[in-house]
Amino acid sequence: FLISFPFTPIAGAIPLFIGYLQLRKSKKYLVDYGEVVMKKDTRAPVLYLRSFNDEVEDRSLTKYFNNASVSSKKDLSLTTPSIGFREQDALSYVFRKVGPYIALGKPEEKIPELGSSKIYVPDEAWQNTIRDFFEKSKLIIFRAGKTEGLKWELRELVQTVKPQKII
């Protein structure tokens, strides 16, 4: 009994964490797609631009535990309320107060990730969709990354959008 006592809180936390992950997964089936959100909320949208590759890192358990133990002002998600362990989740808390928080969804995604409301378009239409959102968005959040698609978005952003709209 004395040997196992210190491990009891940790052993109890593991099922809670697994339960949290299952709850999070089930919530994905309940979210509205971006088109539905924009019909319900007619304010100008807030567009979130990011690399799809960065979402893989955001979902990693390693990042979650690092965020819990390291205080870094370099990670924007650590400066907003921690309602999830993904940057999109933390940012949604703030930006949904401004307008519908929208992002393009990954084409192969079966169910949308939590955070921003996702809009799905065919590969041949994504650039025109982004240009359209550049015009109608109240704010555009750009998360730096290394993919070619994101580089294209940055070039277009700099050439066509007023700097006051960009975060």
Side-chain angles (χ1 to χ4, degrees):
F1 175 79
L2 292 176
I3 294 173
S4 66
F5 180 75
F7 298 105
T8 304
I10 294 171
I14 291 171
L16 288 175
F17 184 70
I18 291 170
Y20 165 76
L21 293 176
Q22 291 296 356
L23 176 64
R24 184 177 171 77
K25 184 176 180 179
S26 66
K27 285 174 69 175
K28 292 178 184 183
Y29 289 96
L30 301 174
V31 298
D32 286 333
Y33 288 91
E35 295 87 354
V36 173
V37 170
M38 290 182 58
K39 283 181 184 175
K40 291 179 181 178
D41 186 344
T42 58
R43 297 176 294 167
V46 174
L47 179 64
Y48 180 64
L49 301 172
R50 83 284 181 214
S51 167
F52 293 146
N53 293 345
D54 290 336
E55 290 185 338
V56 173
E57 179 187 332
D58 284 348
R59 284 194 300 266
S60 76
L61 292 177
T62 306
K63 181 171 180 167
Y64 172 72
F65 289 113
N66 286 343
N67 286 352
S69 63
V70 176
S71 176
S72 169
K73 298 300 180 191
K74 292 180 183 177
D75 191 343
L76 183 60
S77 67
L78 295 177
T79 64
T80 57
S82 181
I83 57 173
F85 57 83
R86 296 191 54 223
E87 184 172 86
Q88 283 191 63
D89 294 346
L91 293 175
S92 72
Y93 178 82
V94 175
F95 290 115
R96 287 188 196 282
K97 295 177 182 180
V98 177
Y101 180 48
I102 303 294
L104 289 187
K106 288 175 77 169
E108 68 275 4
E109 213 168 44
K110 300 282 189 244
I111 54 172
E113 286 294 332
L114 298 176
S116 57
S117 299
K118 304 300 185 293
I119 292 180
Y120 295 90
V121 297
D123 282 342
E124 62 274 3
W126 75 270
Q127 291 176 327
N128 287 332
T129 303
I130 290 294
R131 284 186 186 112
D132 183 45
F133 272 102
F134 282 176
E135 289 180 25
K136 64 184 173 185
S137 294
K138 185 173 192 168
L139 286 174
I140 300 168
I141 296 101
F142 182 85
R143 178 181 176 179
K146 298 177 184 177
T147 59
E148 290 305 312
L150 199 60
K151 289 177 187 177
W152 177 88
E153 290 172 344
L154 179 59
R155 280 191 302 275
E156 287 291 312
L157 195 63
V158 170
Q159 293 173 3
T160 62
V161 177
K162 294 178 184 178
Q164 298 89 333
K165 288 175 61 170
I166 304 169
I167 296 177

